[in-house]
Amino acid sequence: MAVKEKVLEFANKVSKKKPGSKGAFTEKDPEYKILEPVVTDEMAEVALCLDFRVPKSADEVSKLCGKPLEITTRLLMELADAGVCFVNKKDGVDKFWYDTWVPGIMEMMTNNLANVRKYPQIAEAFEEYGRVRGAKTAGMLPVGVGLMRVIPIESAIDGESRRASYEEVSKYLNDNTVFSVSDCACRTVREAMGEGCGHLKEDMCIQMGHAAEYYIRTGRGRAITREEAFEIIHRAEENGLIHQIPNLDGSGKTHAICNCCGCSCLSLRTAEMFLNVDMVRSNYVAQVDKDKCVACGECVEHCPVNAARLGQKICSSKPVVKDITTKVTPRDTEWTPDKWNAEYRYNRKNVVDTGTSPCKTECPAHIGIQGYIKLAAQGRYTEALELIKKNNPFPAVCGRICPHSCESACTRGDIDEPVAIDDIKKFIAEQDLNSEHRYIPQTRHDYGKKIAVIGAGPSGLSCAYYLAIDGYRVTVFEKQPKPGGMLTLGIPAFRLEKDVVEAEIEILRKIGVEIKTGFEVGKDITLNQLRDQGFEAFYLAVGAQSGRKIGVPGEDAEGVDTGVNFLRRINMGEELRLSGKTIVIGGGNVAIDVARAATRVSDGGSVSMFCLESREEMPALKEEIEEAEEEEISIQNGWGPVRIITENGKVTGVEFKKCLSVFDEQKRFAPVYDEKETITMPAENVLLSVGQAIEWGELLRGSAVELNPNNTVKADPVTLQTAQPDIFVGGDAYTGPKFAIDAIAQGKEAAISIHRFVQPGQSLLIGRDRREYKALDKSGVLFDGYDRMARQKPAETAHNSGKEFRDVRGCFTEEQLKKETERCLGCGATIVDQYLCVGCGQCTIKCKFDAIKLERRYDGEGVSYEKLKPVVIKHVLKRKVKMTTKKIKESLSGSRAK
């Protein structure tokens, strides 16, 4: 394609370069590429008669370019519509001028969405400009005079006596009378390139004054009031975005406020990829008060530039990372590509190398446990509930049935006993059961897109919850007559009463989730029919809802049932009675539930459990084993079934053989038996609880979804996307049988993926928090000085007779709660990279403990583009002196070492 010479000439004029001279642009440069699709040479001839920030009328331009006024006016308006120049009414006459490339022409061109859709080259050129030109600016500008500048969230600097008015968002809004709002140019670029991060572009950037007039007139933005502008600012802050302003209009002046994310913003990329933080930072840096910090992780998750990470607060005899501040910076170092962080949108870290709080690490949902414990200690129960529900919509359920891996990992357990985290959570969640006090989250958006969730178990409902909060129309299809999955039909009421499940499910209905029960997708309606109805994505969370046989003779006899089916029948209200002796085969938590349920429907016959594993190897939790034994359930370890003995088609007993070992040296399931040692146990009922199976029915017919040999679905381990792009999977249907909290965690991850999938141009991976945590090394913790404190135990509400299905386990009193929360050691705390921090203040508004604040570290003040050159030259000279001094010191240090 022939080069448009006039267009190339204009590209050089904007950058004050002479065509053909050394360093002049060619057709390969982004400055030309962005203009080329939409600017003709005829338009460029007119553009060449415009000046930088000097408004001219069409009449003036017509005389300069020698074209008739009518044609000149048309071409100028075409340039303005394309985004190459501004147009404003001044004294009743249209005036035209151009501005810098960035911020300026490139954003304006990108905000012509029709052109970007038609010519993706526009977006690509804008991205390339920042990547190519940005690298050359590393270390070249002092704090405060970059092209763009972070403006702190105003509430974050309320207490700062040295703050200046130019650091306040409200100043810019109050100084102007005309406002518009447009889509974010940077996120438009990322979307066009298929590299969106899930932060969407719509109605994010505010223009003021002349820029607002231009945006309204050319259809790039819509007019808004000052009040609406403040609302957009507030909404951006709530959604984790930070404020930046174009910084070349002069101190205390700007024409726009951008609300940015660290994973797509082309300005923040300067700080993240090139580590050229001074180019964009505010005058502030975040400081952590470790005494107040509880390592909840909210600041870490919301830091746009990954400057905050979780670390260790408790003292240790081993080396612990206490400072993560970047030491090698472009301030005094020659900045070469080997020092960049090119993968910054993929390699985000949550934790320092020496780890953080074990409780948050080991929780599958990585809930901010220390955070809600501290909030509970302060009596801030609703805020504690809100914090939990950021990662778990079912705290009341999990407070009763969670395997509490957080407690198993609790550092306090190395002193006396772990903190009773589940009981604390249960107390907090009690208010969720009261319709007057429950926490119902606000929806953040209103996307309106329809999403189908197949299966109303914990994973499906979790996914529905987070999608609904994000503003999607979610329908959950459940083939059983009640929602809840195994929570409702698989767990007996003495562990989880069904009004608890229903109360938490009711909250989903309150936020707009539709739940259709008795409706089997695949049988009553197909996935393709749902697509025809407008559903844009599907989450398969059907669970492992069926029991498994064990493959021995006699297992089809009358009196034999799977444990899962047995529990389902009870939970569905079927009147069951077991006559005679009952044997439960299995050693997991479900087997315990089956055995304890069997005692409650038994006519007095004994209930025994037989399992392959030794007592130490049993997969059931220790406390559940103890509860079973308290109900006089006999547990026989180390026995495997050989056959079920029958007479006239009915069970009469079970023959077992001795199991010598269950696992081989690689911890693989490989039981070894003593074939000579067998026993025969009489029984009238046998309940098989050796695992669960997944039934797909007709659900997957005609889809590209692939299954593993165990009938779980093959999917990406991070995104949970299957081989059929619009189908995602999670919970037991993906992992095989696990705990509710594991399924809940995957439900949220699926919601993140589905949101990105149904929105145009979004990547499922870019900018995604991989939620990778590491526990601190407890072997080095110094426990001297910590007193032993007895773990609080909630009293039972009634005597456990082993005959009732109601849950007699009690809840902490408020006094007990206070005492138990005092036992938390507060192992972790946030650490901030003092160089990487851009001083946005997002961390301060997410912290509920006043543990992180912005402190004024710099005094950089913006200058206009016209006054920028001498400031840069002075800074560059100082930098060269620093670099020379550093090299001399390094040379002398090296000489001494020799």
Side-chain angles (χ1 to χ4, degrees):
M1 185 181 296
V3 176
K4 298 177 179 179
E5 296 296 342
K6 291 296 181 182
V7 173
L8 183 59
E9 185 179 346
F10 176 70
N12 278 289
K13 178 179 179 177
V14 173
S15 295
K16 299 180 179 179
K17 296 177 179 287
K18 293 182 179 179
S21 65
K22 184 178 180 181
F25 297 143
T26 71
E27 72 278 8
K28 296 180 180 179
D29 286 294
E31 292 85 349
Y32 172 81
K33 290 179 183 177
I34 198 167
L35 299 171
E36 187 272 331
V38 291
V39 179
T40 64
D41 271 338
E42 186 182 25
M43 292 165 66
E45 287 174 359
V46 172
L48 285 165
C49 296
L50 295 175
D51 286 322
F52 175 72
R53 294 185 176 177
V54 178
K56 289 182 178 179
S57 67
D59 185 58
E60 291 174 295
V61 175
S62 173
K63 292 173 181 176
L64 290 170
C65 69
K67 295 181 184 293
L69 178 60
E70 182 179 351
I71 293 175
T72 300
T73 302
R74 173 178 60 80
L75 293 172
L76 284 168
M77 288 306 303
E78 288 177 2
L79 287 165
D81 183 66
V84 178
C85 67
F86 279 107
V87 58
N88 272 190
K89 284 279 187 196
K90 294 183 181 293
D91 299 323
V93 178
D94 282 339
K95 296 293 183 74
F96 303 84
W97 72 95
Y98 67 83
D99 211 292
T100 55
W101 286 113
V102 173
I105 293 173
M106 292 198 173
E107 286 92 342
M108 291 156 58
M109 292 190 69
T110 301
N111 279 128
N112 186 318
L113 301 182
N115 279 349
V116 171
R117 282 191 289 269
K118 189 174 181 180
Y119 305 108
Q121 178 179 321
I122 293 172
E124 293 163 1
F126 187 4
E127 186 280 329
E128 182 185 357
Y129 176 87
R131 180 164 37 84
V132 174
R133 307 293 177 230
K136 298 176 181 179
T137 64
M140 296 298 183
L141 284 89
V143 173
V145 299
L147 308 185
M148 298 287 291
R149 179 177 188 158
V150 171
I151 297 296
I153 292 171
E154 200 157 328
S155 62
I157 57 173
D158 278 345
E160 175 56 66
S161 61
R162 295 192 302 132
R163 72 179 186 178
S165 61
Y166 63 78
E167 296 165 329
E168 299 171 356
V169 169
S170 61
K171 169 205 164 21
Y172 300 105
L173 294 180
N174 290 328
D175 282 354
N176 287 277
T177 57
V178 183
F179 304 90
S180 65
V181 64
S182 71
D183 292 351
C184 169
C186 294
R187 295 201 280 281
T188 297
V189 165
R190 299 295 197 184
E191 177 185 302
M193 298 177 68
E195 296 181 1
C197 63
H199 293 106
L200 302 188
K201 65 181 187 299
E202 285 73 21
D203 284 1
M204 275 292 109
C205 291
I206 298 167
Q207 297 80 37
M208 300 166 291
H210 75 270
E213 181 183 330
Y214 165 74
Y215 265 67
I216 295 166
R217 178 157 179 194
T218 59
R220 282 167 165 72
R222 59 181 177 84
I224 58 172
T225 64
R226 180 183 289 114
E227 290 71 26
E228 288 176 301
F230 273 110
E231 288 172 7
I232 291 168
I233 292 294
H234 176 70
R235 187 171 71 245
E237 292 171 359
E238 287 293 304
N239 287 332
L241 303 178
I242 70 172
H243 313 310
Q244 287 191 94
I245 60 169
N247 196 40
L248 299 179
D249 293 356
S251 178
K253 298 178 182 178
T254 193
H255 59 271
I257 302 173
C258 301
N259 295 306
C260 312
C261 66
C263 26
S264 282
C265 178
L266 300 177
S267 170
L268 289 176
R269 174 173 63 178
T270 305
E272 298 175 274
M273 180 173 174
F274 303 120
L275 306 188
N276 187 19
V277 188
D278 292 346
M279 181 83 162
V280 297
R281 72 162 76 249
S282 76
N283 284 326
Y284 295 83
V285 174
Q287 299 291 323
V288 177
D289 183 336
K290 288 194 174 182
D291 291 336
K292 293 181 179 179
C293 181
V294 296
C296 67
E298 287 295 294
C299 58
V300 173
E301 291 182 27
H302 287 90
C303 177
V305 294
N306 200 202
R309 297 178 193 174
L310 291 176
Q312 179 172 335
K313 179 163 60 177
I314 196 167
C315 295
S316 176
S317 62
K318 296 185 176 181
V320 172
V321 173
K322 297 180 179 179
D323 181 13
I324 58 171
T325 299
T326 301
K327 301 298 190 293
V328 179
T329 76
R331 289 174 174 172
D332 59 2
T333 305
E334 185 177 347
W335 214 240
T336 49
D338 59 297
K339 299 178 181 65
W340 302 351
N341 181 15
E343 297 299 313
Y344 74 95
R345 289 192 289 166
Y346 295 96
N347 60 12
R348 187 180 178 93
K349 290 184 178 180
N350 290 328
V351 181
V352 301
D353 291 342
T354 49
T356 190
S357 310
C359 56
K360 184 176 179 71
T361 299
E362 296 305 323
C363 172
H366 303 300
I367 299 169
I369 294 168
Q370 285 184 195
Y372 72 71
I373 288 176
K374 176 62 75 173
L375 289 168
Q378 297 172 348
R380 298 158 65 187
Y381 303 128
T382 301
E383 291 176 85
L385 192 57
E386 179 185 0
L387 180 59
I388 295 170
K389 286 198 165 191
K390 288 182 182 293
N391 293 294
N392 178 4
F394 307 113
V397 166
C398 287
R400 289 159 169 80
I401 65 164
C402 190
H404 47 72
S405 53
C406 52
E407 290 188 22
S408 301
C410 178
T411 310
R412 179 90 212 184
D414 287 28
I415 298 176
D416 37 46
E417 292 184 89
V419 175
I421 296 170
D422 260 7
D423 284 312
I424 293 172
K425 179 168 56 191
K426 184 177 179 181
F427 179 96
I428 295 167
E430 282 300 296
Q431 63 187 312
D432 224 25
L433 306 183
N434 186 329
S435 59
E436 294 181 6
H437 301 105
R438 64 180 45 154
Y439 169 72
I440 299 176
Q442 297 294 313
T443 54
R444 293 193 289 259
H445 308 283
D446 184 17
Y447 296 131
K449 292 174 179 281
K450 295 171 67 176
I451 311 296
V453 174
I454 319 300
S459 194
L461 293 175
S462 172
C463 181
Y465 177 87
Y466 291 109
L467 284 170
I469 290 174
D470 229 5
Y472 291 96
R473 293 170 56 194
V474 186
T475 303
V476 181
F477 298 92
E478 171 57 57
K479 73 176 183 179
Q480 298 294 343
K482 298 178 181 179
M486 297 299 281
L487 303 179
T488 301
L489 301 178
I491 299 175
F494 54 78
R495 287 191 61 224
L496 179 61
E497 292 188 335
K498 304 316 165 190
D499 59 345
V500 174
V501 182
E502 182 54 38
E504 296 205 301
I505 291 176
E506 182 60 25
I507 293 173
L508 273 76
R509 295 189 177 100
K510 293 284 187 184
I511 59 175
V513 175
E514 182 181 5
I515 302 175
K516 291 187 176 183
T517 56
F519 199 97
E520 185 175 351
V521 178
K523 178 182 177 183
D524 299 318
I525 194 170
T526 66
L527 292 175
N528 279 335
Q529 288 171 327
L530 288 174
R531 290 185 181 98
D532 292 340
Q533 291 181 14
F535 287 93
E536 297 188 37
F538 304 87
Y539 183 53
L540 307 185
V542 299
Q545 67 277 52
S546 299
R548 289 173 53 193
K549 297 289 185 72
I550 55 177
V552 299
E555 63 181 7
D556 294 322
E558 183 180 339
V560 180
D561 199 356
T562 63
V564 170
N565 191 55
F566 172 70
L567 292 175
R568 182 182 295 114
R569 292 167 65 192
I570 291 174
N571 284 318
M572 289 293 290
E574 186 176 335
E575 293 290 336
L576 282 178
R577 299 304 298 173
L578 296 179
S579 298
K581 296 180 178 180
T582 299
I583 288 178
V584 177
I585 297 175
N589 292 307
V590 176
I592 296 284
D593 285 348
V594 171
R596 294 182 66 198
T599 66
R600 287 159 170 77
V601 297
S602 172
D603 62 1
S606 64
V607 177
S608 303
M609 290 178 61
F610 286 77
C611 63
L612 293 172
E613 300 90 354
S614 67
R615 177 66 175 254
E616 296 72 25
E617 294 172 322
M618 285 181 70
L621 297 175
K622 179 183 177 182
E623 58 263 37
E624 295 204 28
I625 296 172
E626 292 172 352
E627 287 171 343
E629 291 181 325
E630 287 174 5
E631 296 178 6
E632 299 183 352
I633 295 168
S634 170
I635 300 177
Q636 303 298 320
N637 298 101
W639 294 99
V642 176
R643 64 189 177 102
I644 296 174
I645 302 167
T646 65
E647 185 176 317
N648 298 323
K650 295 183 179 180
V651 172
T652 60
V654 182
E655 181 183 348
F656 294 94
K657 59 184 175 181
K658 187 65 177 175
C659 181
L660 301 177
S661 64
V662 181
F663 304 102
D664 62 16
E665 293 180 355
Q666 284 75 43
K667 303 298 182 181
R668 293 173 300 192
F669 182 74
V672 177
Y673 299 97
D674 182 346
E675 301 292 342
K676 296 180 181 180
E677 187 175 357
T678 63
I679 57 172
T680 299
M681 302 299 295
E684 284 71 38
N685 309 285
V686 176
L687 300 173
L688 308 175
S689 188
V690 293
Q692 294 155 242
I694 304 164
E695 292 182 353
W696 291 105
E698 298 298 311
L699 175 57
L700 302 179
R701 181 182 291 275
S703 76
V705 173
E706 300 173 358
L707 298 178
N708 293 302
N710 65 352
N711 233 24
T712 57
V713 170
K714 293 181 179 180
D716 183 276
V718 175
T719 68
L720 303 177
Q721 188 177 40
T722 69
Q724 181 92 37
D726 65 350
I727 296 179
F728 299 78
V729 67
D732 292 354
Y734 172 64
T735 63
K738 295 187 80 172
F739 295 107
I741 188 62
D742 297 280
I744 288 166
Q746 287 198 328
K748 181 176 181 181
E749 289 303 311
I752 293 169
S753 292
I754 289 170
H755 159 67
R756 289 169 173 240
F757 174 78
V758 300
Q759 297 292 346
Q762 305 303 305
S763 162
L764 298 188
L765 290 173
I766 288 175
R768 187 171 187 139
D769 184 351
R770 303 299 179 91
R771 301 184 68 75
E772 294 174 347
Y773 291 84
K774 178 182 179 181
L776 59 84
D777 183 355
K778 290 193 289 183
S779 67
V781 172
L782 300 175
F783 292 111
D784 297 342
Y786 289 104
D787 294 331
R788 296 176 68 86
M789 298 174 65
R791 174 174 165 135
Q792 299 296 304
K793 300 184 187 302
E796 291 186 344
T797 58
H799 172 66
N800 178 18
S801 65
K803 297 300 180 184
E804 297 184 19
F805 273 95
R806 68 189 179 105
D807 187 355
V808 299
R809 295 172 299 172
C811 187
F812 277 156
T813 64
E814 190 160 21
E815 181 182 358
Q816 284 183 304
L817 175 85
K818 300 295 185 186
K819 289 181 178 179
E820 189 60 22
T821 56
E822 289 175 5
R823 299 181 67 243
C824 178
L825 301 179
C827 305
T830 295
I831 303 173
V832 175
D833 186 321
Q834 300 289 288
Y835 174 75
L836 282 184
C837 175
V838 296
C840 67
Q842 185 58 228
C843 54
T844 69
I845 66 169
K846 299 304 179 186
C847 180
K848 295 179 179 291
F849 306 98
D850 196 30
I852 189 164
K853 295 182 177 180
L854 291 188
E855 293 184 3
R856 204 168 199 268
R857 182 74 57 82
Y858 306 97
D859 291 303
E861 189 171 348
V863 299
S864 67
Y865 181 83
E866 293 84 347
K867 298 178 180 179
L868 182 61
K869 188 173 182 179
V871 175
V872 173
I873 291 173
K874 182 179 179 180
H875 177 76
V876 169
L877 292 174
K878 285 184 177 180
R879 178 175 180 252
K880 286 184 177 180
V881 171
K882 289 180 181 179
M883 291 171 63
T884 301
T885 303
K886 181 180 179 181
K887 287 179 179 179
I888 292 171
K889 287 182 177 179
E890 289 174 347
S891 177
L892 291 174
S893 176
S895 299
R896 292 192 190 101
K898 292 178 181 179

